[in-house]
Amino acid sequence: MPVADFEPVIGLEVHAQLLTESKIFCGCSTAFGAPPNTQVCPVCLALPGSLPALNRKVVEMAIKAGKALGCKIAERSVFARKNYFYPDLPKGYQISQYELPICLGGTVHVAQPDGSLRGFGLTRIHIEEDAGKNIHGDAASEVDLNRAGTPLIEIVGEPELRSADEATEYLKSLRLTLVYLGINDGNLEEGSFRCDANVSVRRKGTEKFGTRVELKNINSYRFIRQAIEFEIERQVELIESGGTVRLETRLFDHEKGVTRSMRSKEEANDYRYFPEPDLPPLLVSKEWIDSVQLPARLPNQAFSELAASGIPATDARTIIADARLVTLYFDVLAALPAITDEGRKWTANTLCGELSRALNDGTADLAALKCTPAQIARVFALQTGGTISSTAGRTVLAELFATGSEPDAIVTAKGLAQVSDTGALEAIVDAVLAKSPGEVEKYKAGKKNLLGFFVGAAMKELKGKGNPGELNKIFKSKLGD
Ligand code: ADP
Ligand code: MG
Ligand code: ZN
């Protein structure tokens, strides 16, 4: 296989729309889905004489992203004009940042199956404005400028990814972080989180990067994987058959699963970047940077914390995939009688097991959970206190998620309480022993594993509701151990 002789090199450029209420340089709404050209004004329509005024929230969100991703935040950054002609860009240039972006460096961490985190480097994050949208109909092409001027951050990754899998994991982690921060809605389909993938290949063992191709138009994880994998094979086959990879932009055709050339770099725009004269340099004080708050735990920190307390990486990943689950996890922990590893594992199991089942069944809704963390924690206390078995615990949880009734009331209503009353248990134990003289003799002769047989028989009498710990104890003492 020729592909095996080559190593792919991938670097991603992600555009993330910021969740501000108004646009970056004017007061127009950024709400999605309004009738075309109803959220526009002289500034975002580029009428002569209009001037941009920077939305403070945009800067705050960019700082937030930068801090969360471990970037260096520049106290001085500069807006620049990126000139190109396209119908969806009324000014004829996009206001972006070029030589001096707001964030430098940083890392995207990816959770690994062994519970560790692996870091992939970032080059920079800069602030820019989105363009409008061209809508191509049968009779005509039309332009909707509602999106023009929506704030974006572009997160440029270093070419450190080596497979489509790594690229997908990197994207998922980055998306999770931005959604967590509340600065992006992470919607790939609607294009509020978009990715361009730069792909090259080099022969294994060589240092020098190959010529890269920029892939555009990939709006789902599946397509990103397909596009990158197709492109790796295309480049390897091209090189193996004596050709050379051209520096170009290619579009992914998801119906055919192929990439096709859109423009070569020779045809590419010369953007003629220059500093934006209508905006002063962006000055961000240390105090401002310090005042931007991050959530108590970012997804990757939560992942490390969960993994360190012995929770399997798959469960830890399930929990960190939704900020609400992380909050719930730590709120349940806080409501337990004491925070132990047993309690942590039980809570993780509950969230990834019973709760996720209820969410799938539609009997629970994470956006409107019917029960409180304290009620969930109460189930654990009922189990560890011996009131109910772990099997009964699952029944209580299912009912709790569906109805929000008090766990104690559920136990009573469903008759789930274990029989722990010593007198009652002793009577059953005596009856079991009286019925099985042969086993008693063998036990006394050394066949100690018959204890399970006795407890099982008693459980049967008790219809599964005997407290197994108590039964064990009583049998042992009656059998002279
Ligand atoms: P441009 O602005 O033309 O897109 P950049 O230098 O900003 O170019 O690079 C953009 C992206 O391309 C970055 O994410 C970077 O990691 C990636 N990249 C650069 N060189 C290569 C390469 N040889 N192979 C794959 N990706 C690359
Ligand atoms: Mg690029
Ligand atoms: Zn406007």
Side-chain angles (χ1 to χ4, degrees):
M1 248 331 254
V3 173
D5 301 337
F6 286 83
E7 179 181 53
V9 172
I10 303 157
L12 303 182
E13 294 166 280
V14 170
H15 288 90
Q17 279 182 1
L18 296 176
L19 286 173
T20 55
E21 281 172 28
S22 58
K23 294 186 181 180
I24 181 168
F25 299 123
C26 61
C28 291
S29 167
T30 53
F32 184 81
N37 299 308
T38 54
Q39 291 167 349
V40 292
C41 75
V43 173
C44 53
L45 289 176
L47 298 188
S50 63
L51 287 169
L54 180 59
N55 181 344
R56 193 183 165 85
K57 278 270 182 236
V58 170
V59 182
E60 232 166 76
M61 290 185 181
I63 295 173
K64 207 173 219 185
K67 281 177 82 163
L69 294 165
C71 308
K72 182 183 175 303
I73 315 289
E75 286 177 54
R76 181 175 179 277
S77 62
V78 171
F79 288 98
R81 288 189 183 179
K82 179 178 179 179
N83 298 279
Y84 65 93
F85 178 77
Y86 208 60
D88 65 9
L89 190 72
K91 290 197 293 291
Y93 58 84
Q94 176 192 29
I95 302 180
S96 179
Q97 294 186 310
Y98 189 53
E99 279 167 344
L100 296 171
I102 186 161
C103 305
L104 290 163
T107 313
V108 169
H109 290 284
V110 174
Q112 303 294 304
D114 68 356
S116 68
L117 292 173
R118 183 162 164 214
F120 295 97
L122 291 178
T123 313
R124 56 190 270 157
I125 301 177
H126 60 256
I127 298 172
E128 60 186 28
E129 60 180 332
D130 211 342
K133 255 187 207 162
N134 293 331
I135 300 159
H136 304 289
D138 291 335
S141 286
E142 296 173 309
V143 181
D144 176 8
L145 293 173
N146 283 351
R147 201 180 68 177
T150 296
L152 297 176
I153 47 174
E154 177 171 346
I155 302 146
V156 183
E158 289 286 296
E160 291 182 1
L161 302 157
R162 294 290 174 266
S163 67
D165 271 342
E166 283 181 11
T168 309
E169 293 296 309
Y170 166 104
L171 268 186
K172 285 185 178 170
S173 168
L174 178 57
R175 176 183 171 280
L176 198 56
T177 302
L178 300 183
V179 171
Y180 225 77
L181 294 173
I183 64 175
N184 177 255
D185 67 13
N187 196 323
L188 276 83
E189 284 75 20
E190 280 177 10
S192 48
F193 182 91
R194 315 195 275 273
C195 161
D196 297 342
N198 295 274
V199 179
S200 66
V201 298
R202 62 180 173 190
R203 273 189 201 277
K204 280 196 177 146
T206 57
E207 284 276 311
K208 202 169 164 285
F209 286 158
T211 304
R212 77 188 153 102
V213 156
E214 189 178 59
L215 302 178
K216 286 190 181 290
N217 201 26
I218 29 188
N219 63 354
S220 77
Y221 290 122
R222 190 161 62 89
F223 294 160
I224 284 156
R225 193 186 297 273
Q226 280 180 9
I228 292 174
E229 275 168 2
F230 176 86
E231 188 54 28
I232 292 168
E233 277 189 38
R234 188 191 70 86
Q235 291 184 17
V236 169
E237 275 170 25
L238 191 61
I239 295 169
E240 289 281 84
S241 62
T244 46
V245 176
R246 277 205 315 164
L247 187 62
E248 64 181 350
T249 302
R250 297 177 71 88
L251 286 183
F252 179 62
D253 176 341
H254 57 80
E255 273 162 26
K256 301 216 166 66
V258 302
T259 65
R260 57 174 104 257
S261 186
M262 181 171 121
R263 57 167 183 254
S264 77
K265 279 278 172 178
E266 294 86 72
E267 302 155 35
N269 297 291
D270 172 6
Y271 294 125
R272 295 174 293 120
Y273 280 101
F274 63 87
E276 167 59 61
D278 290 341
L279 288 166
L282 172 58
L283 303 179
V284 176
S285 67
K286 278 210 167 62
E287 291 71 37
W288 191 5
I289 298 170
D290 290 343
S291 74
V292 173
Q293 302 275 325
L294 294 181
R297 279 179 198 85
L298 290 167
N300 291 317
Q301 291 166 329
F303 175 82
S304 294
E305 212 174 306
L306 289 161
S309 59
I311 289 154
T314 44
D315 286 356
R317 288 182 69 140
T318 304
I319 294 170
I320 65 158
D322 194 313
R324 295 168 299 188
L325 285 180
V326 178
T327 307
L328 184 60
Y329 173 85
F330 287 101
D331 287 351
V332 172
L333 271 200
L336 294 179
I339 301 179
T340 58
D341 275 354
E342 189 197 359
R344 289 191 177 93
K345 278 183 199 159
W346 180 86
T347 306
N349 275 335
T350 298
L351 266 49
C352 300
E354 278 62 49
L355 178 57
S356 103
R357 211 161 297 138
L359 295 171
N360 286 339
D361 293 351
T363 51
D365 176 3
L366 209 46
L369 213 54
K370 294 200 182 86
C371 65
T372 64
Q375 287 176 314
I376 299 173
R378 176 67 187 151
V379 180
F380 179 72
L382 288 170
Q383 266 180 240
T384 49
T387 308
I388 54 173
S389 66
S390 53
T391 314
R394 287 193 280 277
T395 309
V396 177
L397 286 169
E399 184 72 10
L400 176 61
F401 292 134
T403 64
S405 307
E406 288 303 330
D408 293 79
I410 298 170
V411 170
T412 311
K414 293 192 176 267
L416 296 168
Q418 294 189 124
V419 180
S420 297
D421 171 63
T422 315
L425 292 179
E426 275 186 349
I428 304 270
V429 167
D430 288 337
V432 168
L433 294 178
K435 257 193 259 173
S436 334
E439 280 78 8
V440 170
E441 213 167 288
K442 284 187 198 148
Y443 181 92
K444 288 188 169 157
K447 210 168 172 223
K448 299 288 180 196
N449 61 5
L450 276 170
L451 186 63
F453 162 82
F454 294 130
V455 173
M459 263 312 190
K460 209 169 163 194
E461 288 294 312
L462 289 155
K463 301 196 165 55
K465 284 185 213 151
N467 180 327
E470 284 300 308
L471 283 173
N472 263 296
K473 247 194 279 171
I474 298 169
F475 271 114
K476 277 189 179 169
S477 81
K478 298 240 175 206
L479 289 162
D481 270 354

